[in-house]
Amino acid sequence: MSGEEVRVRAAVAGHARRRAWAEAGAVLGVVLGDPEVRRIGALVEEEERRAGAELRDGFQVFRDRYAHAVRTGDVILLAGVCAGKHGRWGRICVLSAGHEERAPHWGSTVEGPVAWIGSAPDDD
């Protein structure tokens, strides 16, 4: 295969990827804009805030430990923190890695404590 063929194939593949992402984004926009999906999403968020507040007394020590590690640059402690996050929503789990068998993810947002189960595409 010549260099020109490689360049053309790469350009076509890139175009196909961009088009697929655009189409997927349009479909997701329609689904997420559905009133019932939005209503259920609001119920889930409300429950996550309720659970976060309920678990605060038991988990606040983890939040304090995480905040101290961030302030002091304690890389060893931060390396042991759960990798779960929902960055798009400002959530970072402050519990120790491996907690998922015993407890949901738990952390704070600007709106207060929040607990959640599962992950999101931005958990990488």
Side-chain angles (χ1 to χ4, degrees):
M1 192 173 347
S2 73
E4 181 68 14
E5 288 177 14
V6 170
R7 188 186 66 74
V8 169
R9 286 178 185 259
V12 169
H15 174 73
R17 259 192 318 279
R18 286 188 298 279
R19 183 171 176 176
W21 278 108
E23 289 176 10
V27 169
L28 284 173
V30 169
V31 170
L32 294 176
D34 180 80
E36 185 65 5
V37 171
R38 294 174 66 85
R39 184 186 72 76
I40 292 170
L43 290 174
V44 168
E45 287 181 21
E46 181 181 326
E47 178 57 23
E48 289 173 341
R49 285 190 300 274
R50 188 206 57 77
E54 183 179 297
L55 295 168
R56 182 181 212 154
D57 289 345
F59 289 161
Q60 184 63 39
V61 67
F62 292 99
R63 174 68 183 103
D64 296 342
R65 178 188 71 161
Y66 178 82
H68 182 265
V70 169
R71 276 193 314 275
T72 62
D74 187 340
V75 178
I76 294 172
L77 192 143
L78 290 173
V81 172
C82 175
K85 65 185 183 317
H86 283 185
R88 185 176 301 156
W89 295 279
R91 299 175 178 188
I92 297 174
C93 183
V94 298
L95 302 180
S96 299
H99 69 84
E100 294 90 340
E101 296 292 321
R102 303 176 309 280
H105 294 295
W106 188 87
S108 299
T109 69
V110 295
E111 298 168 348
V114 63
W116 72 95
I117 297 172
S119 60
D122 65 342
D123 272 7
D124 297 329

